[in-house]
Amino acid sequence: VKEADAAAELHRQCPRIINGIIARADLSLGAEVEPALQYYKKNPLVVGIRHNLRWAEGIDSLAEEKTAYDPKWREGFALLSKYDLCFDTTIFHLQIDAVADLARDFPDTRIIINHMAVPLGICGFNRDEVRPVWEESMKRLAKFKNVFVKVGGFGMRWLGFGFEERQKPPTSDELVAAWGPYILFVIETFGVDRCMMESNSPMDKPTCSYTVLFNALKKITRCYSKEDRWNMFKLNAKRVYKIK
């Protein structure tokens, strides 16, 4: 909780730097996490809680395989709506169906999926084989209107594009070719109003710079209207996170 306090103090000194905080809380504590949520609620900048559910054999994981179904973890999760806090999480394609069940069982809690529910392409996962599985799971997840998606995060090594291994980084056009089909699928599946463009900086830096990344995102979405793009690149985030 002290980290959120420090961020709030930075905002007080420089109001343009921070407009919302996604804080960390261990929902596996069950009801015992409530004092932390109460403390966070006193901080007007805290708009949500992040607890990553990503898990895969042989990959750095931050949860157990069935964390989203654990009764005590769900006990903690159930408290989020009480304090009007959204839930942010990074998952792999393996956890999409579990999060869909979570969205179904807790319809009053806003769930934000980071990095488009990473379709894995390393550690024995073949990206071309994973993609149709990922797509079908994402279609099911999209049925729940309390779920939103951060569009980006594909510069990390998990997807197996291999850009981070190159001596010369990719151009924005190369990223458009590689990432475009995934991004356009997500926007078409969830709709413009439930998608938010993200930088995921600095985790994407092994692949490309911030500028190249956003040039790629802008090129991928140029088929959408100016209003739609303005929503995806800014206004949706303000609405979903209730940033004033």
Side-chain angles (χ1 to χ4, degrees):
V1 295
K2 297 303 180 183
E3 187 177 22
D5 289 344
E9 174 58 23
L10 183 60
H11 169 79
R12 188 189 67 80
Q13 297 174 23
C14 306
R16 295 184 63 185
I17 291 181
I18 298 171
N19 292 299
I21 299 171
I22 302 298
R24 174 73 170 88
D26 187 357
L27 299 181
S28 64
L29 293 173
E32 294 178 16
V33 78
E34 188 161 18
L37 302 183
Q38 291 172 336
Y39 185 88
Y40 281 137
K41 195 59 182 177
K42 296 176 184 177
N43 185 336
L45 289 177
V46 175
V47 297
I49 297 298
R50 180 167 179 162
H51 191 138
N52 289 331
L53 294 174
R54 73 174 195 250
W55 179 91
E57 193 73 42
I59 300 178
D60 52 325
S61 302
L62 296 176
E64 300 297 328
E65 184 176 6
K66 300 293 183 180
T67 294
Y69 294 106
D70 180 82
K72 193 165 186 179
W73 187 89
R74 282 185 160 221
E75 185 179 77
F77 183 90
L79 292 168
L80 297 180
S81 61
K82 177 179 178 180
Y83 295 98
D84 194 26
L85 294 168
C86 65
F87 176 68
D88 256 60
T89 189
T90 296
I91 60 174
F92 298 139
H93 70 277
L94 302 168
Q95 286 81 54
I96 298 175
D97 291 338
V99 173
D101 290 342
L102 201 62
R104 177 198 63 203
D105 297 342
F106 298 91
D108 295 330
T109 302
R110 286 163 289 134
I111 297 174
I112 293 91
I113 303 299
N114 298 174
H115 322 322
M116 303 192 295
V118 183
L120 290 170
I122 62 171
C123 293
F125 290 96
N126 181 292
R127 192 174 64 253
D128 292 334
E129 295 175 358
V130 165
R131 182 175 169 183
V133 177
W134 170 78
E135 288 182 347
E136 286 305 309
S137 292
M138 290 293 270
K139 288 177 183 177
R140 179 182 176 233
L141 182 62
K143 294 178 181 178
F144 301 100
K145 302 305 181 183
N146 56 325
V147 178
F148 306 84
V149 183
K150 285 183 180 176
V151 177
F154 270 35
M156 295 183 288
R157 68 180 183 88
W158 292 330
L159 292 103
F161 287 111
F163 289 125
E164 73 282 357
E165 299 175 359
R166 290 174 33 168
Q167 289 187 342
K168 183 179 180 181
T171 64
S172 60
D173 287 334
E174 288 179 289
L175 297 181
V176 169
W179 300 352
Y182 292 88
I183 290 174
L184 292 175
F185 167 81
V186 168
I187 297 173
E188 291 163 7
T189 301
F190 284 83
V192 167
D193 292 339
R194 290 199 284 154
C195 292
M196 301 174 283
M197 296 297 155
E198 63 163 333
S199 71
N200 196 38
S201 182
M203 301 303 293
D204 281 336
K205 279 191 174 181
T207 285
C208 64
S209 69
Y210 181 92
T211 301
V212 169
L213 186 149
F214 261 93
N215 282 342
L217 292 178
K218 287 186 285 186
K219 288 178 178 180
I220 291 169
T221 57
R222 61 187 167 192
C223 56
Y224 288 89
S225 69
K226 181 178 179 180
E227 180 182 1
D228 285 345
R229 297 172 84 195
W230 188 240
N231 285 331
M232 289 189 287
F233 279 90
K234 181 177 182 179
L235 298 184
N236 288 349
K238 292 187 69 175
R239 173 176 52 84
V240 172
Y241 288 114
K242 298 185 177 182
I243 296 173
K244 298 178 181 179

